[in-house]
Amino acid sequence: MAFRGSAPDGPGFWFPSTVLATEDPASVPAWHDEVFGPVVTVAPFDDEADAIRIANDTPYGLSGSLWTRDLSRGLRVARAVEAGNLSVNSHSSVRYSTPFGGFKQSGLGPDALDAFTETKNVFIAT
């Protein structure tokens, strides 16, 4: 664990913000599990193709964020990452006014009725 924040006191199921850093994503269960909470997993990568491979190495694909200075690269990677909701330079990928859903074993949004469609929404902060 690279960082762990604090959680509020009182009733409820609170989990502190946590950053999990690893050289080997396969060694961290949270990398492959669908975690609902303020948790991020971080791993180094060699190049763009390696980053995409690591990002897609999970049975889930609900939401994610890409951070880059190169908008062309951001759009290229957004097309390649298997997630239904992606933000480029933001963490606001799920917007209820736009279509949303998940890829693979993730997410049943309002567009899930069409089981043969993988809807993708890419939000870019400018």
Side-chain angles (χ1 to χ4, degrees):
M1 178 177 348
F3 171 81
R4 185 171 210 164
S6 60
D9 292 327
F13 298 100
W14 304 104
F15 192 81
S17 300
T18 303
V19 177
L20 302 171
T22 182
E23 294 288 324
D24 177 19
S27 70
V28 179
W31 193 272
H32 294 100
D33 294 343
E34 192 166 34
V35 178
F36 290 96
V39 176
V40 63
T41 52
V42 180
F45 53 90
D46 294 325
D47 56 23
E48 185 177 305
D50 191 38
I52 293 166
R53 180 192 60 75
I54 292 169
N56 289 337
D57 184 26
T58 174
Y60 302 104
L62 184 58
S63 180
S65 296
L66 309 170
W67 299 87
T68 182
R69 292 184 190 129
D70 182 342
L71 196 52
S72 294
R73 172 176 273 179
L75 290 172
R76 186 173 56 245
V77 172
R79 282 191 293 271
V81 171
E82 297 166 349
N85 305 282
L86 285 169
S87 288
V88 177
N89 298 334
S90 170
H91 63 284
S92 300
S93 61
V94 177
R95 296 178 176 266
Y96 294 106
S97 59
T98 62
F100 68 94
F103 284 23
K104 306 177 198 179
Q105 295 180 31
S106 285
L108 295 176
D111 296 302
L113 295 176
D114 186 352
F116 299 100
T117 299
E118 292 180 325
T119 301
K120 180 177 284 195
N121 176 29
V122 177
F123 172 80
I124 301 171
T126 57

